[in-house]
Amino acid sequence: MCDSTVRAQYFYSSLRTLSRLISAGVLLGAAMTSAQAVTLNEWDIYNYPQQTEAVDEAVKVFQQQNPGIVIQRSVHSFEDTRIPLKLALTAGDGPQIAQVNQGGGDMGSLVKDKLLWPLDEYAKTYGWTTHFPDSILKRNRWSDNQDFGSGKLYGIASLGEMVGLYYNKALLDKAGIAVPKTLAELEQAMKKLKAQGTPPMMLGLLDGNMGQQLLSTIWEAQIESSDRKKLDDLIYDVGGTFKDDKLVKAANMMKSWNDKGYFFTGYQGIGHDDAATLFQNGQAAFLVSGTWYLGQFKDNKDIHFAAMPMGEGVQHALMVGGTDLAFSITSTAKTKEQQDAAAKFIDYIVSDEMANRWLKVGFLPASASKNAQIPADNPLLAETYQVWVTLNQHDGLGHYVDWATPTMNTELNQNVQQLLAGRQTAEQMVARFDDNYQSYLKTLKH
């Protein structure tokens, strides 16, 4: 074998060795990079196509901005956020980040079993306490003694919702009626519409909560936001009574509207979604309902949204509403590194950047930035968002009254139907609400 052949074999052998060393180095580097990455499992319930698209994009952008964090997202049903989530966390194999339903049976239960981490330090770090009003943060607070609405913070929500007054401006203009700003003006408007043959207010009591939400909205429209403590105490089970003059007044007002024929004929047999569709098609001038119908109403340019007209002498009323499920850090985020990464993701999911992404797909973000980017083709969302911003400037986000007890939802729906059917008085109905509430409070004293 000649020298040149030996040198060639040696050269190629050296190349193969060098190649193996380089490959090993690359693999080692990749392994080290992988070891440094924090991988987090995340559960959310955003299963509507526009929602899931927005969150998928958010995950992608977040990971680009934070290359050391990997978010493994999975979409679940609302029911999965309850017993299945608790079972998974108890077994130690659940997600590190999860949307958690507020209330004693869900978030309260997880807090009690130490399956969620408190977020107070992160709230300071990321400025959540200034980014969101107390009325939003309190919904995710639990004390060590299991007091709802006070104590440590265990979650932050990304979307908001409120119940207000939808109105058909074409029908109001035709009747020569301005958008009502007070309950008295709303009553006058409905009287005039009725006289002209236009159904004043849409309603559907066959299913859902449209009736109780109308009652709650009239009640809270009489409460000044700075004087909200009595209602907060009721909802957060601190104590108090439903025997409130303003609630009785709201019930009597609702009954009088029924007696005067202001509600759409046959409302007792109409479902809530069917009522919304009838309103969308111009069958009534007003509808009191929530922002969950914004997408459905978007293409009817005659439909607008306003704060519920206020009671006499009220400057900044409460509005029935709340937030969607809160994002929480669970007990399966065992290391400080995991917890910090989870908090960073939650901060992104409640950021102004995410708020603009929600607005782009037609949803109302929980944050209230004055610099929000409203899509030009969605004026209904623009005016609704302005109502939201103004509401939160005055800490005016009120409550869904059915939060007060586990059985209050059924109590409200049944008794509103009884009231409007003339089978009980406003005082009798309110007394039944209070009986339900006081009985529940007794079960909490142990």
Side-chain angles (χ1 to χ4, degrees):
M1 188 179 293
C2 68
D3 287 346
S4 61
T5 303
V6 172
R7 284 197 299 272
Q9 287 179 337
Y10 177 78
F11 173 75
Y12 287 118
S13 174
S14 299
L15 273 180
R16 286 195 292 271
T17 303
L18 180 61
S19 177
R20 284 195 296 271
L21 288 170
I22 290 172
S23 296
V26 168
L27 289 171
L28 180 61
M32 290 176 66
T33 302
S34 177
Q36 290 167 356
V38 179
T39 299
L40 301 172
N41 293 316
E42 181 264 9
W43 285 16
D44 65 64
I45 64 164
Y46 294 131
N47 48 24
Y48 292 136
Q50 303 96 324
Q51 288 180 327
T52 206
E53 178 186 333
V55 178
D56 280 344
E57 185 183 346
V59 169
K60 180 181 176 182
V61 172
F62 175 80
Q63 290 182 149
Q64 288 171 348
Q65 295 175 357
N66 300 275
I69 303 174
V70 176
I71 303 295
Q72 294 183 338
R73 178 189 180 221
S74 58
V75 183
H76 292 255
S77 69
F78 172 77
E79 287 305 318
D80 285 350
T81 69
R82 315 191 83 176
I83 294 173
L85 175 62
K86 186 172 183 178
L87 290 173
L89 296 179
T90 302
D93 59 359
Q96 288 75 49
I97 304 167
Q99 272 191 294
V100 177
N101 188 42
Q102 296 91 339
D106 299 306
M107 184 179 283
S109 176
L110 296 179
V111 169
K112 185 177 181 181
D113 291 345
K114 301 188 184 309
L115 296 173
L116 299 180
W117 290 106
L119 304 179
D120 299 86
E121 287 304 313
Y122 295 119
K124 290 177 188 174
T125 301
Y126 292 111
W128 297 337
T129 51
T130 54
H131 198 59
F132 296 96
D134 286 343
S135 56
I136 285 181
L137 296 178
K138 283 185 74 167
R139 295 157 204 269
N140 307 300
R141 290 194 183 279
W142 286 88
S143 75
D144 293 338
N145 296 323
Q146 282 285 286
D147 296 323
F148 184 25
S150 63
K152 295 170 184 171
L153 184 71
Y154 285 95
I156 296 285
S158 188
L159 288 178
E161 56 190 37
M162 56 185 167
V163 177
L165 184 73
Y166 287 102
Y167 61 93
N168 186 310
K169 193 168 188 302
L171 292 178
L172 294 189
D173 288 347
K174 183 180 176 183
I177 295 171
V179 180
K181 296 287 193 289
T182 67
L183 287 172
E185 289 176 4
L186 176 61
E187 288 193 310
Q188 286 300 311
M190 290 195 292
K191 181 179 180 181
K192 193 170 182 179
L193 287 161
K194 173 73 174 173
Q196 295 183 14
T198 299
M201 183 167 288
M202 185 55 64
L203 186 62
L205 288 195
L206 182 62
D207 57 11
N209 303 321
M210 195 171 274
Q212 63 154 293
Q213 286 169 1
L214 176 58
L215 174 68
S216 303
T217 300
I218 301 170
W219 181 22
E220 294 183 32
Q222 301 173 71
I223 301 173
E224 188 72 47
S225 62
S226 59
D227 191 30
R228 61 179 297 148
K229 187 176 185 305
K230 279 172 64 176
L231 181 64
D232 284 346
D233 286 351
L234 270 182
I235 302 302
Y236 294 126
D237 300 327
V238 175
T241 177
F242 271 82
K243 293 178 180 177
D244 180 87
D245 290 343
K246 291 174 180 174
L247 178 54
V248 172
K249 184 176 179 179
N252 278 322
M253 190 177 291
M254 193 170 168
K255 188 175 186 307
S256 75
W257 294 354
N258 180 62
D259 295 344
K260 293 171 183 175
Y262 292 167
F263 295 137
F264 188 81
T265 302
Y267 68 85
Q268 300 92 336
I270 299 173
H272 62 288
D273 286 340
D274 289 336
T277 299
L278 286 166
F279 174 74
Q280 180 186 358
N281 293 333
Q283 297 300 303
F286 297 114
L287 170 71
V288 174
S289 193
T291 49
W292 46 86
Y293 286 125
L294 286 173
Q296 179 177 333
F297 295 162
K298 173 187 172 184
D299 294 331
N300 184 336
K301 301 307 179 186
D302 292 330
I303 294 179
H304 298 262
F305 184 87
M308 185 68 183
M310 292 181 285
E312 186 180 356
V314 177
Q315 298 298 311
H316 304 291
L318 296 180
M319 282 180 70
V320 173
T323 65
D324 71 337
L325 278 62
F327 281 87
S328 299
I329 302 177
T330 77
S331 55
T332 62
K334 296 188 181 303
T335 68
K336 182 72 163 56
E337 191 179 21
Q338 286 179 312
Q339 293 160 25
D340 289 348
K344 199 166 193 178
F345 177 74
I346 291 174
D347 184 59
Y348 184 78
I349 215 75
V350 302
S351 66
D352 286 346
E353 184 176 333
M354 188 65 198
N356 286 331
R357 192 173 284 115
W358 282 131
L359 289 164
K360 183 180 177 183
V361 295
F363 289 87
L364 187 71
S367 60
S369 169
K370 292 179 180 178
N371 301 317
Q373 298 168 9
I374 312 288
D377 66 341
N378 200 340
L380 176 61
L381 180 63
E383 61 194 16
T384 304
Y385 187 70
Q386 188 52 56
V387 173
W388 178 257
V389 170
T390 303
L391 182 72
N392 284 295
Q393 283 174 346
H394 301 285
D395 199 23
L397 188 62
H399 295 284
Y400 294 110
V401 179
D402 61 284
W403 274 28
T405 80
T407 56
M408 186 60 79
N409 188 61
T410 301
E411 197 78 24
L412 284 160
N413 287 338
Q414 290 176 347
N415 282 284
V416 165
Q417 289 181 332
Q418 294 291 314
L419 174 79
L420 296 183
R423 298 194 184 106
Q424 67 179 349
T425 66
E427 289 80 7
Q428 287 171 331
M429 179 180 74
V430 169
R432 287 191 171 98
F433 295 161
D434 199 55
D435 287 346
N436 178 284
Y437 185 69
Q438 302 305 333
S439 296
Y440 177 63
L441 283 186
K442 288 177 183 175
T443 69
L444 301 180
K445 295 174 181 176
H446 41 254

